[in-house]
Amino acid sequence: MKRTLLFCFAIVALTAMLFSSCKKSMEFSSPDGQLTLVPSVSHDGSLSISISHRNGASFEVSSLKLLTDDSARVTLTSVSDVVAVKDDYMMAAGKRLHCSNSANERIFSFVDSKGCTQQVVVRVYNDGIAYRYVLPQGGVVNGETSLFKMNGSVKRWLQSYEQSYEGFFKPYAEGQNSIMEKTSPRDTNTDSLGVHFGFPALFEFNDKSFVLLSEADVHHHNSAASLWSNGDLSYRVAAQENAGVVESGWMSPWRVAIVGSLADVVESTLVTDVCESNKIGDFSWVKPGVASWIYWAYNHGSNDFQIIKQYVDMARDLHLPYVLIDAEWDEMSNGGNIDDAINYAAEKGVRPILWYNSTTAWIKEWGAPGPFYRLNKTEDREKEFSWLEEKGVAGVKVDFFDADKLSTMDYCIDILESAAKHHLTVNFHGATLPRGWQRTYPNLVSTEAVYGAEWYNNGPVLTSRAAAHNATLPFTRGVVGSMDYTPCTFTDSQYPHVTTDAHELALTVLFESAVLHLADRPSAYLSQPDEIKNFLTELPTAWDETRLLSGYPGESVVMARRHGSVWYVAGINGLDDSQGVATSISGLSNVGGQVSLFQDGDGGWNISNLTEMPQSLTLKPRGGFVAVIK
């Protein structure tokens, strides 16, 4: 007993000496010196870090501690030297194909009264910070106490948590901490712990300073987390389901804060930078492209062979590589079945993508569409994916997942790994937010996790809010990964839209998705002027470079994306009134001199060919534009 007490006193004394004599030496900064981290130890032994950026952002990550089987108090035992971390990798798609980043890293090691070690790994990049927990010898994970505390944040864009991440990013002014309205019909607004928000979350400190919070690199036996408001601009990080007993080497996901200007946030690849490297090997078979899609126009699945043929023909006529055969294909009739549909697509030079119900959240007994139970078990999944590979199917769209549970994360990873073995791409719908898996598994071509165009089928809410919502997404959801919004609807579904045609066309550039699904009916596209049809035919869905030119959440956005030597510039107006937007491309490199400009005209398109890009444009209410510069 005396030895134990002496050991504890020695550790406490050592810790006190460490902080009294070396506190300044624990401070470290980003490689460019713009972002500074100042660590300290709280009363319970947990780690707190103050973060400040030279542009004015100031926030704190406090109470960094895992809740284990004995973690009421932990004691700091060591702080590593600063280690440089560099990464350079290729993506199949995304904001840019070639990504690189560098950081400075420290590891803070703690011990509890049972002698169990837990570590907090902290990195500071030029465009943000990231931290994760590690249990080198394993142990028990019953939660964590992490808090993000924002100092003087003026405005926030937050989405109340819903398991499919389908809601609006509502703006909150200073002093507002509660949900004022539901942001989707399925919101879970509050419970006894406070207001529940999902990632990502955007905070504004001044007109030059923003922070976006998110998460990355979820592994097996690792639940995704979300945010609970604690009031006073502090947000507690909490996993939906804790890992429990874990083996040695267990790591939490990275918690990520992208810091800088709006352009820094939008252009950042930090979410994939911190993730595990490619695990599937050669991914040259992953071919980004555009797909025709049946569901939106008919508010129904793909059980009619004759209608499927129309969408295959549309893909053929527009030279699109893919057609998505959606739900209920296992019940297909009216002159053909799924084999006939696959064969018909092959004859037309179009590769099909097939939809599946994950059979974990919305199931047959509750009125969900099928097919069911084909992917849940390893042996069934291998059989199904072998059949798809043999038939020449390009990929799968898997829908309706059961929230952010441990089993759901494991299931998603199992699907990605199995699909890769059979050269199948994957699109997750009704699923968790992208958390960097597109780097680790390049066959993940898109994820929904967005209040997208399909909501024109489900209720009248999107009609009046779509323009502002669309102008918010590039600063929030669009930052963290491919987003299957299913854009570019020129006609109406069950509920009308009031965005203009040019606004809708611009979404195909603003919303990045390795496989981009055109949602409207074939006649809506085939009746467009030749210039618009040619644009859709040539539209790339993988980009070499992405730049934000101007904008502000909910008001407007103008972005430029480069594919090879061609720049695509697109912008939208999120307001109900006309407004001018800055469209200068002076900061872009290797810009050609031929500009094809697509704008809203009076009663139709205004299409012009120019020798240089205008410095600004006036957009109609809820309007937009696209420019292709060669």
Side-chain angles (χ1 to χ4, degrees), residues 17 279 343 379:
M17 291 175 60
K279 292 182 69 173
N343 292 337
E379 58 272 24

Side-chain angles (χ1 to χ4, degrees), residues 179-419:
I179 294 287
M180 293 186 157
E181 61 180 304
K182 286 180 178 288
T183 58
S184 87
R186 299 195 296 267
D187 276 351
T188 54
N189 284 351
T190 63
D191 73 1
S192 59
L193 295 176
V195 181
H196 192 183
F197 298 107
F199 287 122
L202 180 66
F203 299 82
E204 179 186 15
F205 293 85
N206 56 55
D207 60 357
K208 296 181 180 179
S209 179
F210 293 80
V211 172
L212 183 131
L213 304 182
S214 197
E215 188 179 46
D217 203 31
V218 177
H219 290 251
H220 272 113
H221 204 61
N222 213 324
S223 179
S226 52
L227 296 169
W228 288 94
S229 173
N230 278 30
D232 298 325
L233 294 174
S234 67
Y235 299 86
R236 180 171 61 83
V237 179
Q240 183 176 75
E241 185 179 5
N242 295 311
V245 178
V246 297
E247 298 187 3
S248 61
W250 179 89
M251 298 180 293
S252 74
W254 289 99
R255 321 299 189 203
V256 173
I258 302 172
V259 186
S261 66
L262 267 180
D264 293 329
V265 170
V266 169
E267 297 167 17
S268 173
T269 58
L270 190 55
V271 169
T272 51
D273 293 339
V274 299
C275 284
E276 188 175 1
S277 299
N278 168 27
K279 292 182 69 173
I280 71 172
D282 174 51
F283 58 85
S284 59
W285 53 271
V286 178
K287 304 294 186 183
V290 180
S292 60
W293 180 48
I294 185 176
Y295 171 79
W296 186 86
Y298 293 90
N299 196 23
H300 215 285
S302 299
N303 57 9
D304 190 316
F305 177 60
Q306 299 305 320
I307 296 179
I308 288 296
K309 288 170 63 178
Q310 295 176 23
Y311 281 82
V312 171
D313 292 344
M314 167 191 158
R316 176 204 59 197
D317 293 345
L318 292 176
H319 304 285
L320 311 181
Y322 303 117
V323 60
L324 174 58
I325 302 177
D326 215 275
E328 300 176 319
W329 56 260
D330 56 329
E331 304 172 14
M332 193 178 297
S333 59
N334 195 16
N337 58 24
I338 185 59
D339 288 306
D340 298 317
I342 292 173
N343 292 337
Y344 184 82
E347 293 171 4
K348 304 298 182 180
V350 178
R351 297 193 68 193
I353 300 167
L354 266 59
W355 184 98
Y356 287 84
N357 191 318
S358 82
T359 327
T360 61
W362 192 27
I363 58 177
K364 184 176 183 179
E365 290 75 11
W366 300 342
F372 304 98
Y373 297 109
R374 299 198 185 194
L375 307 182
N376 302 75
K377 296 180 180 179
T378 301
E379 58 272 24
D380 294 339
R381 184 166 57 246
E382 287 296 315
K383 179 181 177 181
E384 193 74 9
F385 286 174
S386 293
W387 171 69
L388 294 177
E389 184 178 24
E390 180 183 342
K391 296 290 290 185
V393 171
V396 294
K397 171 184 173 181
V398 189
D399 210 341
F400 306 133
F401 286 89
D402 193 10
D404 290 337
K405 297 178 180 178
L406 293 167
S407 58
T408 301
M409 300 299 101
D410 289 348
Y411 186 23
C412 288
I413 293 171
D414 289 343
I415 289 172
L416 289 167
E417 292 180 345
S418 180

Side-chain angles (χ1 to χ4, degrees), residues 27-30 33-38 50-54 124:
E27 178 179 315
F28 63 118
S29 300
S30 58
Q34 297 291 308
L35 196 55
T36 301
L37 275 60
V38 180
S50 295
I51 299 110
S52 59
H53 195 281
R54 288 187 181 177
V124 54

Side-chain angles (χ1 to χ4, degrees), residues 43-258:
H43 66 279
D44 63 352
S46 64
L47 181 68
S48 292
I49 303 173
S50 295
I51 299 110
S52 59
H53 195 281
R54 288 187 181 177
N55 69 3
S58 175
F59 62 103
E60 182 179 348
V61 188
S62 65
S63 302
L64 290 171
K65 183 178 66 174
L66 281 178
L67 297 175
T68 64
D69 57 345
D70 187 14
S71 57
R73 181 176 179 83
V74 294
T75 304
L76 180 70
T77 57
S78 68
V79 179
S80 75
D81 292 334
V82 175
V83 176
V85 177
K86 296 183 179 180
D87 219 343
D88 190 283
Y89 58 97
M90 299 299 296
M91 296 280 287
K95 299 175 189 178
R96 59 182 60 88
L97 298 183
H98 182 193
C99 300
S100 61
N101 209 343
S102 60
N104 290 324
E105 177 185 283
R106 279 194 189 273
I107 300 176
F108 299 82
S109 298
F110 300 81
V111 66
D112 62 25
S113 62
K114 287 187 177 181
C116 295
T117 298
Q118 61 175 264
Q119 297 176 328
V120 183
V121 183
V122 182
R123 291 181 183 175
V124 54
Y125 294 80
N126 293 339
D127 56 343
I129 67 109
Y131 73 89
R132 82 179 331 161
Y133 297 101
V134 178
L135 290 180
Q137 288 82 43
V140 177
V141 180
N142 291 325
E144 62 183 274
T145 59
S146 313
L147 276 173
F148 282 100
K149 295 182 177 180
M150 299 296 160
N151 301 323
S153 171
V154 175
K155 198 169 185 179
R156 292 146 283 151
W157 289 264
L158 304 170
Q159 180 188 72
S160 66
Y161 180 80
E162 192 276 321
Q163 70 178 37
S164 65
Y165 292 81
E166 295 179 48
F168 296 107
F169 285 87
K170 178 177 169 53
Y172 293 81
E174 188 174 10
Q176 294 180 341
N177 281 299
S178 61
I179 294 287
M180 293 186 157
E181 61 180 304
K182 286 180 178 288
T183 58
S184 87
R186 299 195 296 267
D187 276 351
T188 54
N189 284 351
T190 63
D191 73 1
S192 59
L193 295 176
V195 181
H196 192 183
F197 298 107
F199 287 122
L202 180 66
F203 299 82
E204 179 186 15
F205 293 85
N206 56 55
D207 60 357
K208 296 181 180 179
S209 179
F210 293 80
V211 172
L212 183 131
L213 304 182
S214 197
E215 188 179 46
D217 203 31
V218 177
H219 290 251
H220 272 113
H221 204 61
N222 213 324
S223 179
S226 52
L227 296 169
W228 288 94
S229 173
N230 278 30
D232 298 325
L233 294 174
S234 67
Y235 299 86
R236 180 171 61 83
V237 179
Q240 183 176 75
E241 185 179 5
N242 295 311
V245 178
V246 297
E247 298 187 3
S248 61
W250 179 89
M251 298 180 293
S252 74
W254 289 99
R255 321 299 189 203
V256 173
I258 302 172

